[in-house]
């Protein structure tokens, strides 16, 4: 098949939407498909090129003049590349692809990555809509997208072409010279947004920190609300044990050095970082919301706590920190049943959606498919 992926950019900033799209493009090209990516660029072009994926740079900023230029550029790209499938990962892309496909025979697929955004309803313009978790599918059905249009492909990132094997990463040294025994690390890897529950995580850490003096908190990630969280941390009596590490291109080094991973999100369709935390063997505490339970095998691979409840989060951390046997049990449980979180499963299930559409739409697009084979 000839496949185009459309997304806003390909920056290496830990963006889950970008990571999923780049993984798919690389694996599809590696499997023999002709693949292109349309985006504003940003860093992953070199990797895409290594896998034989063509990159077209198009700015899709939502300004009228910019969008007009993007539409002209997109039309030219489609005429040149002649795709069978256009796979949109953001709202702008699906609108462009739908509006300009009248003169081309391609099939349009969209993936809903962040269904809590109002604009995600526009993803229903596609012939088939991929939801990254069952929770996302159910939400989109309630919002009016026909169920027969929807397919669930849960995110998985293990074995990604963007990363090395977990055994190839060296854990950071988090030893504190002021503490006789080793530092116990609690980590999160998340964008610094209020919806990621950083406020509750800092509050929970403050609640437990006095009773566990060897425990430190590592916040890995950047975002617009970082200064708010830094001010909150500075106001605690344990600010010297709360570390803002910023964006890290290799968060695996933090994961391997820590003992507990926390994801306290208020909303999270299907976070990739949970598969990475599981692979690294951390005990996991996460909120019971959206696609998080699915990524943790419905609580078998991690402790689930209520959303926006710092006290319940603190209680879960106390449970792990108070008993080494319980901590080790949850570390082991996080590493069980990892096979389904492999990126190759996502690739195969996406291919199945394409093939299902190709068969059902063949009479409508016969000239396109016959010419591409």
């Amino acid at each position: 098949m000839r496949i185009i992926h459309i997304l806003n950019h390909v920056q290496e900033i830990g963006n889950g939407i970008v990571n999923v799209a780049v993984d798919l493009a690389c694996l599809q090209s590696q499997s023999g498909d002709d693949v292109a990516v349309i985006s504003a660029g940003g860093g992953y072009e070199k990797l895409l090129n290594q896998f034989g994926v063509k990159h077209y740079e198009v700015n899709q900023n939502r300004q009228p003049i910019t969008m007009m230029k993007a539409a002209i550029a997109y039309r030219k790209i489609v005429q040149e590349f002649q795709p069978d499938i256009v796979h949109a990962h953001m709202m702008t892309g699906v609108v462009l692809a739908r509006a300009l496909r009248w003169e081309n025979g391609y099939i349009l697929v969209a993936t809903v990555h962040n269904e809590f955004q109002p604009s995600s309803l526009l993803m229903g313009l596609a012939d088939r809509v991929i939801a990254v978790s069952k929770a996302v599918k159910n939400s989109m059905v309630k919002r009016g997208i026909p169920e027969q249009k929807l397919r669930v492909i849960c995110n998985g990132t293990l074995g990604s072409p963007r990363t090395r094997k977990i055994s190839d990463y060296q854990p950071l040294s988090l030893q504190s010279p002021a503490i006789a025994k080793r530092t116990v690390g609690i980590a999160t890897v998340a964008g610094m947004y209020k919806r990621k529950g950083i406020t509750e995580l800092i509050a929970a850490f403050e609640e437990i920190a006095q009773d566990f003096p060897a425990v430190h908190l590592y916040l890995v990630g950047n975002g617009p609300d970082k200064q708010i969280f830094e001010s909150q941390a500075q106001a605690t009596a344990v600010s010297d044990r709360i570390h803002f590490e910023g964006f890290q291109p290799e968060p695996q080094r933090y994961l391997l050095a820590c003992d507990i991973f926390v994801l306290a999100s208020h909303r999270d369709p299907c976070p990739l970082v949970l598969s990475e935390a599981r692979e690294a063997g951390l005990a996991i505490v996460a909120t019971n919301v959206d696609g998080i339970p699915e990524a943790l095998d419905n609580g078998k691979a991690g402790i689930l706590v209520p959303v926006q409840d710092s006290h319940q989060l603190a209680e879960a951390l106390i449970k792990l920190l108070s008993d080494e046997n319980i901590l080790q049990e949850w570390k082991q449980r996080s590493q069980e049943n990892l096979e389904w979180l492999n990126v190759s499963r996502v690739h195969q299930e996406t291919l199945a959606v394409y093939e299902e559409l190709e068969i059902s739409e063949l009479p409508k697009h016969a000239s396109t498919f016959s010419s591409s084979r």
Side-chain angles (χ1 to χ4, degrees), residues 269-290:
C270 192
L272 294 175
V273 70
L274 287 178
S275 59
E276 295 167 351
R278 290 181 61 176
E279 183 182 41
L282 283 81
I284 298 173
V285 181
T287 42
N288 189 10
V289 67
D290 296 339

Side-chain angles (χ1 to χ4, degrees), residues 63-350:
Q63 300 296 324
I65 294 177
T66 304
M67 287 302 299
M68 287 177 62
K69 291 180 178 178
I72 293 169
Y74 173 78
R75 183 172 180 268
K76 183 178 179 181
I77 292 166
V78 168
Q79 289 176 341
E80 173 190 317
F81 193 82
Q82 291 292 302
D84 299 323
I85 302 284
V86 173
H87 191 153
H89 297 265
M90 296 292 286
M91 182 274 289
T92 306
V94 79
V95 171
L96 266 177
R98 178 60 184 259
L100 298 175
R101 79 166 182 176
W102 60 271
E103 59 183 310
N104 302 281
Y106 59 75
I107 288 169
L108 180 57
V109 176
T111 294
V112 179
H113 296 274
N114 289 334
E115 55 80 26
F116 52 83
Q117 295 177 342
S119 61
S120 65
L121 194 59
L122 289 169
M123 304 307 261
L125 292 170
D127 299 304
R128 188 72 77 238
V129 180
I130 295 173
V132 296
S133 64
K134 293 177 183 176
V136 169
K137 175 189 174 184
N138 293 339
S139 176
M140 298 311 290
V141 169
K142 289 179 182 178
R143 294 175 64 183
I145 292 184
E147 187 167 5
Q148 61 268 26
K149 260 195 178 186
L150 286 153
R151 299 292 181 271
V152 176
I153 302 179
C154 291
N155 283 335
T157 190
L158 305 188
S160 165
R162 297 172 290 100
T163 61
R164 296 179 283 162
K165 293 180 181 178
I166 192 69
S167 58
D168 291 339
Y169 292 98
Q170 292 298 314
L172 290 171
S173 176
L174 301 179
Q175 185 77 26
S176 173
I179 301 173
K181 58 183 179 179
R182 77 176 182 87
T183 298
V184 177
I186 299 174
T188 193
V189 179
M192 294 292 109
Y193 297 88
K194 290 181 180 179
R195 66 178 174 82
K196 287 293 186 176
I198 308 299
T199 297
E200 289 78 27
L201 175 53
I202 293 173
F205 182 77
E206 182 181 18
E207 184 175 335
I208 69 166
Q210 297 293 349
D211 293 329
F212 300 95
V215 179
H216 285 236
L217 175 62
Y218 297 88
L219 302 162
V220 180
N222 280 330
D225 299 327
K226 184 180 179 184
Q227 189 172 355
I228 296 173
F229 306 138
E230 288 175 332
S231 297
Q232 179 189 356
Q234 284 298 318
T236 71
V238 291
S239 59
D240 60 324
R241 289 158 56 194
I242 302 175
H243 311 279
F244 289 85
E245 301 297 306
F247 169 72
Q248 297 293 328
E250 294 185 342
Q252 293 86 352
R253 299 188 68 201
Y254 282 88
L255 298 178
L256 289 169
C258 289
D259 303 272
I260 300 169
F261 182 84
V262 177
L263 190 64
S265 301
H266 303 168
R267 303 297 308 271
D268 227 325
C270 192
L272 294 175
V273 70
L274 287 178
S275 59
E276 295 167 351
R278 290 181 61 176
E279 183 182 41
L282 283 81
I284 298 173
V285 181
T287 42
N288 189 10
V289 67
D290 296 339
I292 288 178
E294 294 171 56
L296 292 176
D297 296 341
N298 296 309
K300 294 179 182 178
I303 299 172
L304 297 171
V305 297
V307 176
Q308 292 183 267
D309 191 331
S310 60
H311 181 68
Q312 288 291 322
L313 177 53
E315 289 293 318
L317 293 174
I318 290 169
K319 176 182 177 180
L320 294 171
L321 293 167
S322 300
D323 191 321
E324 182 67 21
N325 291 329
I326 293 177
L327 178 63
Q328 292 304 319
E329 177 190 349
W330 280 102
K331 283 186 173 185
Q332 180 178 344
R333 288 174 67 164
S334 73
Q335 291 190 294
E336 295 173 356
N337 192 33
L338 286 180
E339 294 79 12
W340 80 275
L341 293 170
N342 197 286
V343 70
S344 63
R345 188 264 308 162
V346 179
H347 165 52
Q348 292 300 322
E349 291 182 2
T350 303

